[in-house]
Amino acid sequence: MNPFTEKQHEELRQRIRNFAESEIAPEAEKLDSEERFSPELTRKMGQEGILGINIPKKYGGRELDTLSYIIAVEELARVDSSQAATVAAHNSLGLVPILDYGTDTQKEKYLPKLTTGEHLWAFGLTEENAGSDARGTETTAIIEGEEWVINGSKRYITNISNPLTLGVTLQVMTQNGDQPSQLTTILVEKGTPGFESQRLLGKMMWRASDTGKASFTNCRVPLENLLGQEGQGARYMLKTLDGGRLSVAAMGLGLAQGAFEMAAKHAKTRKQFGKPINRYQAIAFKLADMDMKLELARNTLYKACWLKDNNQPYTREAAMAKLYTSEIAREIADEAVQVFGGSGLFKDNPIERFYRDQRLLQIGEGTSEILRLVIARGI
């Protein structure tokens, strides 16, 4: 047992693992091949309590700690990164900002609908000229009477264009009098006139998750859709991304764990020159390195979760966890393909999907270069 986990954490791990292997694994290859988002699997994950896992019970969540949520994402990614991405984006980027900064009315209106699996919520940040540099945001919102009027577009948004999408937490630029434009957060429901979304197809990775773009043309929402305070969008975003980095780190750890297990199993059964290939040092040393990296990555991530759950600063540790798990996911997936040899290059082998899925981990939620800057600021 990991020193950061308790009995309930390991029991949750086994329950989510059983769910992922019985419900998700049989569908993963087909959904990836067809590039199809599955509302059915999303609803099942909601019924399993994975959506809203760390949301208070009064809003329909399970009110578990950060580590429980991270373990759940890790176990999903061990089988299929697409389903893990759906959960991570919904929980970390969708629900948490509403929980942290929403009014009582906003929380009561939205959160109970978002913990059952019947609805998903998105987070709209990235644009053509904005992403890591949120100051480049060109989507605007101006006040006309009792409404915000929004114009602009966002892209690379998870959970934005599927049938379950209820709305999006939108980062926009607002201007108050003669003051400079400032980043502000507004909630926009799907179906609002002027709000259109479209799925982006042709992805290399996470092909069964919903990635899309959204446009806003004179989209009008009530002033009470403001999340938190005007001009505080940058602060909200940075805090949200700290938590988001933990969930992306969990995806990297889970993917690496799954790839390692596949490689280890194959190395026990594949024989060359009369004995299993894991008896040869060339393969045994690869597996040993994978095992070591997984141990270090899990301890790094779980420590960051412990800090968050104990109300300690964790920005640096979250950046470290996300950076390191992303890198070992790449390294372990690559070495796992090497262990499989030529068979690892064909689509009927799950390791091929894992090799593709790991690539986004070095890009999403901050590139490796940005994460190193975050870490360096603490030195």
Side-chain angles (χ1 to χ4, degrees), residues 109-110 113-114 119-122 159 162-168 188-191 195:
K109 179 179 181 180
Y110 293 117
K113 299 177 182 178
L114 297 172
H119 295 288
L120 292 171
W121 198 266
N159 297 335
N162 67 80
L164 304 184
T165 300
L166 184 62
V168 59
V188 186
E189 293 185 28
K190 193 174 180 180
F195 172 15

Side-chain angles (χ1 to χ4, degrees), residues 3 31 67 75 90 126 132 156 165 184 190 225 254 262 269 275:
L31 292 173
L67 183 54
E75 289 301 321
H90 175 75
T126 304
S132 300
Y156 306 145
T165 300
T184 298
K190 193 174 180 180
N225 281 32
M262 282 189 277
T269 57
K275 60 182 179 180

Side-chain angles (χ1 to χ4, degrees), residues 161-175:
S161 61
N162 67 80
L164 304 184
T165 300
L166 184 62
V168 59
T169 299
L170 197 64
Q171 296 287 74
V172 300
M173 299 301 291
T174 61
Q175 192 164 16

Side-chain angles (χ1 to χ4, degrees), residues 222-370:
L223 292 182
E224 57 261 31
N225 281 32
L226 174 70
L227 185 66
Q229 299 178 349
E230 185 177 356
Q232 294 298 307
R235 182 168 68 86
Y236 300 162
M237 178 194 68
L238 290 173
K239 183 179 177 183
T240 298
L241 292 183
D242 277 346
R245 284 169 182 153
L246 295 178
S247 59
V248 176
M251 293 184 64
L253 177 60
L255 183 149
Q257 182 70 44
F260 166 69
E261 291 176 9
M262 282 189 277
K265 181 179 179 179
H266 178 74
K268 288 180 181 179
T269 57
R270 167 72 167 165
K271 291 184 178 181
Q272 290 289 278
F273 305 104
K275 60 182 179 180
I277 61 174
N278 69 347
R279 299 287 298 275
Y280 296 100
Q281 283 189 348
I283 301 300
F285 286 3
K286 288 182 186 297
L287 296 173
D289 284 345
M290 293 181 195
D291 194 29
M292 176 183 65
K293 291 171 182 177
L294 283 166
E295 180 73 12
L296 296 173
R298 184 166 285 110
N299 290 336
T300 301
L301 174 56
Y302 287 11
K303 176 189 173 183
C305 294
W306 183 91
L307 290 171
K308 184 176 186 295
D309 282 330
N310 286 274
N311 299 312
Q312 301 294 318
Y314 71 99
T315 297
R316 169 179 170 270
E317 287 77 10
M320 284 184 171
K322 196 275 179 186
L323 175 61
Y324 186 63
T325 56
S326 297
E327 292 190 341
I328 68 115
R330 170 175 51 82
E331 293 166 4
I332 290 177
D334 183 74
E335 289 287 45
V337 170
Q338 196 71 15
V339 170
F340 275 94
S343 67
L345 303 177
F346 287 83
K347 287 188 177 296
D348 61 352
N349 190 329
I351 197 62
E352 184 269 347
R353 171 165 51 88
F354 277 55
Y355 183 77
R356 286 186 284 106
D357 281 344
Q358 59 80 25
R359 189 59 187 91
L360 184 58
L361 297 172
Q362 293 99 56
I363 296 175
E365 295 303 321
T367 65
S368 60
E369 292 79 9
I370 289 175

Side-chain angles (χ1 to χ4, degrees), residues 14 16-26 78-79 261:
Q14 192 57 54
I16 302 299
R17 179 171 294 192
N18 291 341
F19 169 81
E21 291 179 346
S22 63
E23 299 291 341
I24 297 176
R78 175 180 167 270
V79 170
E261 291 176 9

